[in-house]
Amino acid sequence: MVAITPLDSPSGGASRPTGWTIVLDGVRRERAGTVVLDDVDLDVAPGRIVGLVGPSGCGASTLLRLVGGAERPDAGTVTIEGRVGAAAPRVAEVRDRTPVARFGRARAAIVAAARQAGVIDPDAEADRLCDLVGLSTGHKSVHRLSHGDRQRWAVARALASRPRALVLDDALAALHTSARAETRDRLVRELRERGVTTLWATRDTTEGAAVADHLVVMDAGRIVASGSPDEVYARVADAAVAEVLGPVSAVPGIVEGVVVEVWGQELPLAGSAHDGHCEVVVRPENVLLVGPDVPGMDAVVEETTFLGSVRRSTVLTRDGSRVVVEHAPDQRVDDRDAVRIALAAVPATVRPLE
């Protein structure tokens, strides 16, 4: 069982979230004979934000549909605030493409949701929530909104209903990159201030790590990793996890005692390992472009891509390793350039040779 406990308040005492508990116990779901979720256990305490990431078809969307009540498990139980099945309270949800009625103004729908939730001034609340999600087209009919504005509207309407729990399935996917980050951060602050228990599935692993108190990695219908974002991100030796959370490279090394030798460098080990030949697993940000006189390995650039704040380059080393490097944009390299790389002096994760 993956148990996700409440956060502590800054003063050291337990916080008092108002959200519901969500518990999945041995949940299994099949479609047309194919297992979509396989014996999933998840225990979410009130007020936590849980990020769900994984490759396409990992089962995260189905998990959210089970929590939201749109589907029922074939085995196991989904318990919301201590109740199961038809007796469980309904969890609000926002999906990538939330179904909408053909008629009705966007802002009016948000006002109606706030009024139904008992908000004292539903008009003022609607204006606040439209501002929070960046929706400036509230005068339009919902079905005439762009995909991105429809997502903003769906989030604002869900928040107006004063949810105690919320599931978000790639709910910000249609927003432009900078607007998405700004909306994401405002939404997270709102959810934390209200103590809303939230399951947030996203194809953007950076977003998942940014929003989550607890990050869950799914693959083939199972939870393969779970923990704080930095704990999960550190599991580079786990192939299923590393593949989801970004590119990693494997380079040859030799373990001797508490260090591993790589390209003339000695690095401390992140964990215990047997002496002998191994693979050293590294993330792009821990690979450096260095000068010709520094211990390292010669390589040739295969491709390079400008990503704004960094440049990501793939190089082929002289010993046959293909390595991804993230470096400053002003360290400009071109295809087929000769370079030299080394590893940053951080604890190294190793795995035995297959």
Side-chain angles (χ1 to χ4, degrees):
M1 172 71 73
V2 177
I4 302 169
T5 55
L7 293 169
D8 288 335
S9 66
S11 62
S15 62
R16 297 179 181 273
T18 60
W20 290 329
T21 58
I22 299 174
V23 180
L24 283 73
D25 185 8
V27 167
R28 182 181 179 87
R29 184 74 172 109
E30 297 183 13
R31 290 201 190 95
T34 300
V35 177
V36 182
L37 291 176
D38 187 8
D39 197 28
V40 171
D41 294 329
L42 187 64
D43 188 345
V44 185
R48 300 305 302 268
I49 300 178
V50 178
L52 300 169
V53 296
S56 180
C58 69
S61 292
T62 299
L63 188 154
L64 295 191
R65 288 177 64 82
L66 293 173
V67 171
E71 296 187 28
R72 299 295 183 194
D74 296 308
T77 58
V78 178
T79 306
I80 310 296
E81 194 63 6
R83 288 171 282 175
V84 299
R90 189 64 182 264
V91 175
E93 62 178 336
V94 180
R95 301 200 294 272
D96 179 15
R97 293 188 179 274
T98 300
V100 299
R102 181 159 179 79
F103 301 103
R105 303 288 178 182
R107 182 182 176 280
I110 299 170
V111 171
R115 182 178 294 114
Q116 186 173 5
V119 176
I120 295 175
D121 189 343
D123 283 285
E125 178 69 349
D127 289 338
R128 185 186 74 83
L129 291 174
C130 285
D131 184 60
L132 184 145
V133 300
L135 180 64
S136 59
T137 53
H139 60 284
K140 290 186 177 181
S141 296
V142 176
H143 78 281
R144 292 189 179 278
L145 297 178
S146 67
H147 186 188
D149 277 349
R150 192 175 294 184
Q151 287 192 320
R152 297 177 193 272
W153 166 81
V155 170
R157 186 183 61 164
L159 293 175
S161 70
R162 288 291 189 263
R164 302 282 296 279
L166 179 64
V167 295
L168 301 173
D169 191 357
D170 237 359
L172 304 179
L175 274 60
H176 181 270
T177 302
S178 59
R180 179 171 177 169
E182 293 171 3
T183 304
R184 174 201 73 200
D185 292 344
R186 289 195 296 266
L187 176 56
V188 168
R189 285 194 294 271
E190 180 83 4
L191 295 172
R192 293 197 196 287
E193 287 171 4
R194 293 193 190 183
V196 181
T197 307
T198 307
L199 298 184
W200 187 319
T202 174
R203 295 181 184 88
D204 184 341
T205 55
T206 300
E207 178 175 277
V211 305
D213 303 315
H214 196 93
L215 189 63
V216 171
V217 180
M218 298 189 65
D219 186 41
R222 287 181 171 272
I223 293 176
V224 296
S226 177
S228 67
D230 56 337
E231 289 171 344
V232 175
Y233 191 78
R235 292 182 55 172
V236 292
D238 189 323
V241 177
E243 183 177 351
V244 170
L245 296 181
V248 295
S249 307
V251 301
I254 301 176
V255 174
E256 185 173 347
V258 295
V259 299
V260 58
E261 182 180 344
V262 188
W263 302 332
Q265 300 176 259
E266 284 192 350
L267 302 175
L269 289 171
S272 60
H274 295 295
D275 287 356
H277 291 273
C278 67
E279 287 184 329
V280 181
V281 187
V282 293
R283 291 202 178 276
E285 63 270 24
N286 290 329
V287 185
L288 310 174
L289 296 177
V290 297
D293 300 326
V294 176
M297 174 60 65
D298 293 326
V300 174
V301 177
E302 291 191 324
E303 62 179 0
T304 183
T305 305
F306 177 66
L307 299 177
S309 60
V310 298
R311 180 174 289 277
R312 179 175 291 172
S313 303
T314 301
V315 304
L316 182 63
T317 65
R318 191 177 60 190
D319 65 0
S321 301
R322 185 163 278 103
V323 181
V324 181
V325 189
E326 283 186 357
H327 51 97
D330 58 2
Q331 289 183 294
R332 181 63 185 265
V333 295
D334 294 310
D335 293 356
R336 295 184 294 280
D337 277 359
V339 296
R340 188 170 178 82
I341 62 174
L343 300 186
V346 297
T349 298
V350 302
R351 60 191 182 200
L353 294 173
E354 297 180 356

